Amino acid sequence: MSEASFDYIIVGAGTAGCLLANRLSADASKRVLLIEAGRKDDYHWIHIPVGYLYCIGNPRTDWLYNTAPDAGLNGRSLKYPRGKVLGGCSSINGMIYMRGQARDYNQWADITGDSRWRWDQCLPYFKLHEDHFGGANAMHGAKGAKSEVLLADKTVYGETLRHHNAGGEWRIEKQRLRWDVLDAFAEAAVQAGIPATPDFNQGDNEGVGYFEVNQKSGWRWNTAKAFLRPTCYARPNFELWSSAQVSKLLMTNDADGQSRCSGVEVWTGAGGYVRAMAKHAVVLCAGSIGTPQILQLSGLGPATMLKEHGIDPVIDLPGVGANLQDHLQIRSVFKVQGVQTLNTLANSWWGKAKIGMEYVFKRSGPMSMAPSQLGAFTRSSPEQPFTNIEYHVQPLSLDAFGEPLHNFPAFTASVCNLNPTSRGTVNIVSPKFSDAPKIAPNYLSTDADRKVAADSLRVTRRIAAQPALAKYKPIEWKPGVQYQSDDDLARLAGDIATTIFHPVGTARMGRIDDAQAVVDPELRVRDGRGGVVRGLRVVDASVMPTITSGNTNSPTLMLAEKAAQWLAHEALASP
């Protein structure tokens, strides 16, 4: 088996992995290997915003996972898209830029006992890589703005990034279209008591408004464009292996008995297996499904479960694959009259031609659309202590993702519980890395989640009944007004709800003495004996102890920004 050596090995060229590769390879003395199981992002539909329709469910760009049949969904199984391509989920997601709420990060700080996870300590790391259309200010970063993180870092890492003018890579723009029906929904939400907001990303996202998106001049802006091209590609110390899947971590013990991850074993297809060795660190960025799978295949996980699959436990870590959280959306469809929706605009060849021509010549219109354009954050009921539900509102309707648009004008208001109390699992089903793990989200398994589901559907109806929408005569087509009681609505949620593709938490961080934590507050994997595994970190959404109150892509970038600095500082301190 051939072998290659690097300073850093990053497993997964997705949201976190691309940023880490950019930051760590800025030091020309460090050799960085980035490994991606998928192919390069040269598929044209990745870059056209509406192309998510052709990327999700496509083996060219998607892992094609499915969940196990779920009791909370009345026995249904869901498709579970995850990006298998350079850029990862940032190449196939909804492009919504959303940080969540300040309380999310303050809760992380409480769980980990580390104040560096508080909102005010995370905000500068969001701003470092931001290129916000509104320019730099107290809440946002922009290309060319001086970063307080880099100004405060007097080490070689800070000096190197300042020298390279790092920062401002992650473009955030306003959407390039609007719809009368969505404007009316926003006005109706205000009439229902939800304030209008120009910015969901200031720490309290309560309000209604159009989402900001990760696009640049009408094109999707994924992390491969932002952080790899051309920056990393031009660095001789950077290497990318695509169509290469990590089969396991290489675990050893140092002379003092301390556990160490020394590298990875990689399946390259026709080239067979290759070993890549890391001097400083292996960084798992394979996501909330891939990361626990790799850890378990390597003998790090619940010992009893590993033995059942013929894997010798290296470290008994019961939290690996546990604590899965996700946002479950419940879609309400309202027929309307006297207003244009995408259903009617795209129901003829002429309409489709107009849509195509507008994008070709203006980079605007429906082909520049994120999957959801309008957002709203509010409380599911007055007794809720904080904003706990999110709306994704669309000027279209269909029976299910990937199905044809309906032949009548309509809009869809999808609502999700931002802070579910249900917890699921991700576990291997065999010792083969090629076998997809079992994903069991365990949706709607608590009374609290079922109550929020029922209450949120009532909020949807209250908004739709406001005067601002009356001129379009909205009629609830799905789920139907015949469902009224808590039991009816909760059962209905199980029939129609779908994932919004935000899995987190399966390798969660916590205090070093927290038996269920997989990583410590600096994202180092615990060794189960009060210490950490040398040379191994997890940097992706799997480390989130609780799900953020909004879309999860941008919080993952912030995690990576922090981790890059910690990794660089650790290398500077080592011999």
Side-chain angles (χ1 to χ4, degrees):
M1 187 183 298
S2 62
E3 187 172 297
S5 297
F6 301 86
D7 291 286
Y8 297 106
I9 297 172
I10 301 166
V11 180
T15 297
C18 288
L19 184 145
L20 280 165
N22 177 289
R23 300 297 188 245
L24 295 176
S25 66
D27 182 349
S29 70
K30 299 292 188 293
R31 293 193 68 212
V32 176
L33 171 64
L34 179 61
I35 304 173
E36 170 54 41
R39 293 159 60 182
K40 293 184 177 179
D41 61 328
D42 51 7
Y43 179 50
H44 65 283
W45 281 118
I46 291 171
H47 307 289
I48 299 171
V50 79
Y52 70 91
L53 291 168
Y54 305 100
C55 293
I56 291 175
N58 183 344
R60 171 68 179 80
T61 48
D62 185 357
W63 281 95
L64 302 180
Y65 293 130
N66 291 279
T67 67
D70 198 308
L73 301 183
N74 302 326
R76 290 186 299 130
S77 175
L78 300 179
K79 294 179 180 179
Y80 217 66
R82 297 283 87 199
K84 187 181 182 183
V85 64
L86 208 60
C89 288
S90 77
S91 291
I92 70 170
N93 70 2
M95 297 165 281
I96 292 171
Y97 182 77
M98 187 64 59
R99 294 171 176 167
Q101 299 172 18
R103 65 180 176 88
D104 301 328
Y105 305 97
N106 295 340
Q107 185 179 22
W108 291 3
D110 292 341
I111 290 170
T112 61
D114 192 325
S115 63
R116 290 175 295 179
W117 288 111
R118 293 190 63 80
W119 165 253
D120 61 341
Q121 298 297 306
C122 290
L123 180 59
Y125 291 86
F126 278 109
K127 292 170 61 179
L128 171 53
H129 52 257
E130 270 190 1
D131 182 20
H132 194 270
F133 69 90
N137 55 40
M139 282 292 159
H140 292 289
K143 188 70 176 176
K146 292 183 178 180
S147 164
E148 56 197 276
V149 172
L150 299 186
L151 290 174
D153 191 330
K154 305 303 182 184
T155 70
V156 171
Y157 178 72
E159 293 173 1
T160 301
L161 293 191
R162 290 194 298 271
H163 172 73
H164 285 287
N165 295 315
E169 299 92 350
W170 193 230
R171 182 64 179 167
I172 303 158
E173 294 189 349
K174 286 185 175 181
Q175 295 186 66
R176 301 167 72 87
L177 77 170
R178 52 166 293 281
W179 297 82
D180 289 342
V181 70
L182 297 187
D183 293 344
F185 187 96
E187 186 180 349
V190 172
Q191 292 170 345
I194 303 172
T197 181
D199 187 355
F200 288 120
N201 290 297
Q202 300 191 75
D204 178 3
N205 54 18
E206 183 174 15
V208 60
Y210 280 87
F211 289 122
E212 295 172 358
V213 291
N214 295 119
Q215 294 182 8
K216 192 167 188 176
S217 301
W219 299 99
R220 175 190 289 273
W221 195 244
N222 68 355
T223 54
K225 291 178 184 174
F227 299 104
L228 297 186
R229 293 194 300 272
T231 308
C232 287
Y233 286 6
R235 293 171 175 168
N237 61 315
F238 170 78
E239 194 164 327
L240 170 67
W241 294 358
S242 57
S243 300
Q245 187 170 352
V246 169
S247 58
K248 65 178 180 180
L249 306 174
L250 302 176
M251 302 297 298
T252 59
N253 289 317
D254 285 343
D256 61 2
Q258 190 74 19
S259 298
R260 175 178 292 278
C261 179
S262 58
V264 295
E265 185 178 272
V266 186
W267 172 251
T268 62
Y273 287 99
V274 176
R275 285 191 170 188
M277 310 305 291
K279 177 182 177 182
H280 289 304
V282 171
V283 189
L284 279 179
C285 303
S288 294
I289 309 304
T291 284
Q293 179 188 23
I294 292 170
L295 288 170
Q296 291 172 3
L297 290 170
S298 308
L300 285 73
T304 301
M305 185 272 291
L306 296 179
K307 290 176 182 176
E308 290 173 357
H309 294 298
I311 295 174
D312 292 331
V314 176
I315 302 175
D316 183 12
L317 289 175
V320 174
N323 193 49
L324 174 63
Q325 299 158 62
D326 190 15
H327 288 142
L328 186 72
Q329 66 174 349
I330 309 170
R331 299 167 60 250
S332 294
V333 174
F334 290 84
K335 289 184 174 182
V336 291
Q337 300 177 30
V339 66
Q340 189 176 71
T341 70
L342 190 59
N343 292 12
T344 49
L345 186 62
N347 69 355
S348 68
W349 285 110
W350 171 242
K352 291 173 181 175
K354 284 179 62 178
I355 290 170
M357 295 299 284
E358 181 176 0
Y359 187 74
V360 167
F361 289 106
K362 297 182 178 180
R363 294 290 180 267
S364 62
M367 287 188 69
S368 72
M369 281 171 47
S372 298
Q373 296 78 55
L374 189 77
F377 292 79
T378 189
R379 292 167 170 78
S380 60
S381 60
E383 64 267 19
Q384 291 291 336
F386 38 71
T387 298
N388 71 316
I389 57 174
E390 176 184 8
Y391 280 91
H392 293 79
V393 192
Q394 307 161 306
L396 56 87
S397 65
L398 35 72
D399 287 332
F401 183 85
E403 296 294 317
L405 296 172
H406 292 141
N407 61 3
F408 51 79
F411 70 84
T412 300
S414 297
V415 63
C416 70
N417 179 356
L418 290 171
N419 310 116
T421 54
S422 299
R423 297 291 184 268
T425 57
V426 175
N427 287 316
I428 56 171
V429 297
S430 82
K432 299 178 181 179
F433 74 89
S434 55
D435 288 344
K438 179 182 178 182
I439 304 168
N442 209 21
Y443 293 120
L444 298 173
S445 58
T446 65
D447 290 341
D449 286 357
R450 290 189 291 272
K451 180 73 166 83
V452 170
D455 287 342
S456 64
L457 284 167
R458 294 190 179 100
V459 175
T460 306
R461 289 170 173 170
R462 189 172 78 243
I463 295 170
Q466 297 301 315
L469 277 167
K471 58 187 174 183
Y472 300 135
K473 300 180 174 61
I475 296 173
E476 184 178 322
W477 189 67
K478 282 193 175 180
V481 294
Q482 67 270 30
Y483 302 102
Q484 293 292 334
S485 71
D486 280 2
D487 287 344
D488 282 346
L489 292 173
R491 185 170 56 254
L492 176 77
D495 286 335
I496 66 173
T498 60
T499 175
I500 208 165
F501 320 135
H502 296 164
V504 309
T506 51
R508 77 165 178 86
M509 59 177 156
R511 299 170 190 263
I512 194 66
D513 60 354
D514 181 348
Q516 289 298 314
V518 177
V519 297
D520 76 350
E522 287 196 4
L523 312 185
R524 299 172 295 193
V525 174
R526 295 175 57 253
D527 67 0
R529 298 176 296 175
V532 297
V533 177
R534 290 173 179 156
L536 181 60
R537 299 203 194 209
V538 176
V539 184
D540 56 35
S542 70
V543 304
M544 298 182 186
T546 53
I547 195 167
T548 54
S549 300
N551 311 70
T552 52
N553 184 254
S554 294
T556 302
L557 276 179
M558 181 276 295
L559 286 165
E561 197 75 83
K562 277 184 170 285
Q565 188 178 45
W566 290 336
L567 282 158
H569 287 178
E570 181 180 67
L572 289 170
S574 65

